[in-house]
Amino acid sequence: MDTNAVLDIGLQGILVAGMLSAPILITALVVGFAISLLQSITQIQEVTLSFVPKTIAVAVALIVSGHWMISEIVSFTRMLFDKIPALIGGG
């Protein structure tokens, strides 16, 4: 196993982690921004106001993109298991 293989697997792992976290993070960012904008327009200074809508939006994002997320992580794991013989040096 050489350093290029390790770097390739690490890069692919980071990319998969970024792809899997993107729907949740973007949803939380958009909802948080919208609530903050609403708070600044109405001058409501309640810190905990964005918690419930953000939690609901993240739950909906998980429900909508959950199947895709699971299939991506399963395909990444299968790809890693398929690479084991080549990494060990047997093929």
Side-chain angles (χ1 to χ4, degrees):
M1 187 155 104
D2 58 344
T3 57
N4 288 334
V6 172
L7 289 175
D8 184 48
I9 291 172
L11 178 64
Q12 288 175 353
I14 290 171
L15 289 175
V16 168
M19 284 190 327
L20 293 179
S21 64
I24 296 165
L25 292 176
I26 291 172
T27 302
L29 177 74
V30 169
V31 171
F33 179 74
I35 297 296
S36 296
L37 189 64
L38 180 69
Q39 282 181 326
S40 67
I41 290 172
T42 60
Q43 295 182 356
I44 298 173
Q45 298 301 321
E46 179 62 35
V47 178
T48 60
L49 183 64
S50 68
F51 180 72
V52 173
K54 198 182 293 186
T55 304
I56 292 170
V58 166
V60 169
L62 278 173
I63 291 170
V64 169
S65 63
H67 179 69
W68 170 78
M69 294 168 87
I70 289 173
S71 65
E72 284 293 317
I73 197 67
V74 166
S75 67
F76 178 70
T77 305
R78 283 189 181 147
M79 185 266 309
L80 286 178
F81 280 130
D82 290 342
K83 280 188 175 183
I84 287 175
L87 293 174
I88 292 174

